[in-house]
Amino acid sequence: MDLLEVLRLDELSHGLANLSMFPYFELSHYVVSIMALREQPGAVEVSRVSPLACWFSSMLFCFGGAVLSGIMLAEPPVAPLSNSTSVLLASVVWYLVFYCPMDLVYCCAALLPLRLVLSGMKEVTRTWKVLGGVTQAHNKYKDGLLVMIAVGWARGAGGGLISNFEQLVRGVWKPETNELLKMSYPTKITLIGAVLFALQQTHYLPVQKHHLMLIYTAFTVVNKSRMMLTGSSTSPFAAIESVIYKTLFSGSSPYAAITGEARETCADGGAKSRKTSTKESRANGAAEQQSPPSPVSGQSSSVETKEESENDKKTN
């Protein structure tokens, strides 16, 4: 882009594109992910009862994106665990975060300045994960734009997308926390990145890859830092999402009005019928209680009693 060249950011974008994620950026990703797991309700108790379940949940937080994207591309889901160095590094981080004496590692990493740096480095790894998923799908499906978006999204936000399965490992079942029902900010920003990189790969977006990487990384890091410093969890796209939702999915429709009137009519009719039936049953009950015994029925009963007594005397 000419603007980046004018601002002398072209070299910076090339340097960012050639930056190695291992070990420092990957280490920050493991630390932030496992700290997020520890802050889940009941996670500490599970770590004391079943360390194996806690470790498995931590690996899903760290490698969930690679596992999910592998499943989508019909590749072995255990392939991410074949990298023994990464698994060992993540396991060491898991042990220190959960079982370090006096919680020194967790307390130090939870300090705002250090956590701000770690979270920013984790956002840098998000760019590489999304781009890696899009590129991996592009190698198999050249024109599969939707496949590229789905795999890139899964690769970058897999830990959140499979959160329900991870919760089952810890003995928790909360289907209402499904990311597809209510997306969190990381899931939304990852989806936007997957769309942008997929459009760039298919040449629908006239931007060079390293320039797009710089723009996307800078936006995610700056916005994540802003949210942490202000303590806000509001997405920067909240206003746009509200306008799109009200325009496309909740607009006024005559069919909606007819349906609403029909529902009100049915509800009123049902309420009236219930009230009428209640009143009738009460009236019938009161009438039964207040009605005196019939003289005809009394006379018939006395005649039957006399006949029975005469029959008894004859038999005796």
Side-chain angles (χ1 to χ4, degrees), residues 101-159:
M102 301 177 63
D103 278 343
L104 291 177
V105 173
Y106 175 78
C107 293
C108 292
L111 296 175
L112 182 59
L114 183 55
R115 189 159 191 170
L116 193 65
V117 174
L118 294 174
S119 299
M121 296 175 70
K122 175 181 170 60
E123 293 301 318
V124 175
T125 63
R126 187 185 304 278
T127 303
W128 266 254
K129 293 179 185 300
V130 174
L131 179 59
V134 171
T135 305
Q136 186 180 7
H138 180 67
N139 294 332
K140 289 191 173 183
Y141 306 95
K142 298 296 182 181
D143 298 326
L145 180 62
L146 184 60
V147 177
M148 297 180 199
I149 295 174
V151 176
W153 188 28
R155 186 71 175 270

Side-chain angles (χ1 to χ4, degrees), residues 169-287:
V169 175
R170 294 187 286 113
V172 180
W173 174 239
K174 294 181 179 180
E176 67 276 5
T177 60
N178 189 347
E179 285 288 337
L180 296 179
L181 294 177
K182 187 177 181 180
M183 290 188 189
S184 60
Y185 166 75
T187 306
K188 292 179 181 179
I189 197 64
T190 304
L191 178 59
I192 294 174
V195 172
L196 293 177
F197 283 111
L199 293 175
Q200 191 277 329
Q201 285 286 334
T202 53
H203 305 289
Y204 289 109
L205 187 64
V207 181
Q208 296 185 19
K209 182 172 67 174
H210 56 278
H211 290 161
L212 182 58
M213 292 175 65
L214 177 61
I215 296 172
Y216 180 75
T217 304
F219 176 80
T220 55
V221 171
V222 171
N223 194 62
K224 182 65 175 181
S225 302
R226 177 193 64 81
M227 294 175 67
M228 293 184 64
L229 291 174
T230 59
S232 173
S233 59
T234 305
S235 171
F237 311 105
I240 301 175
E241 293 173 4
S242 178
V243 172
I244 293 175
Y245 176 78
K246 291 180 180 179
T247 303
L248 299 179
F249 302 105
S250 64
S252 59
S253 172
Y255 298 103
I258 293 173
T259 306
E261 292 177 358
R263 288 179 179 175
E264 291 178 358
T265 304
C266 294
D268 295 339
K272 290 180 180 179
S273 63
R274 287 194 297 270
K275 290 180 180 179
T276 304
S277 61
T278 304
K279 290 181 179 179
E280 291 178 354
S281 61
R282 290 178 179 175
N284 294 333

Side-chain angles (χ1 to χ4, degrees), residues 31-47:
V31 172
V32 175
S33 299
I34 296 176
M35 287 179 63
L37 171 63
R38 176 183 170 129
E39 293 168 355
Q40 295 292 321
V44 177
E45 289 76 6
V46 172
S47 67

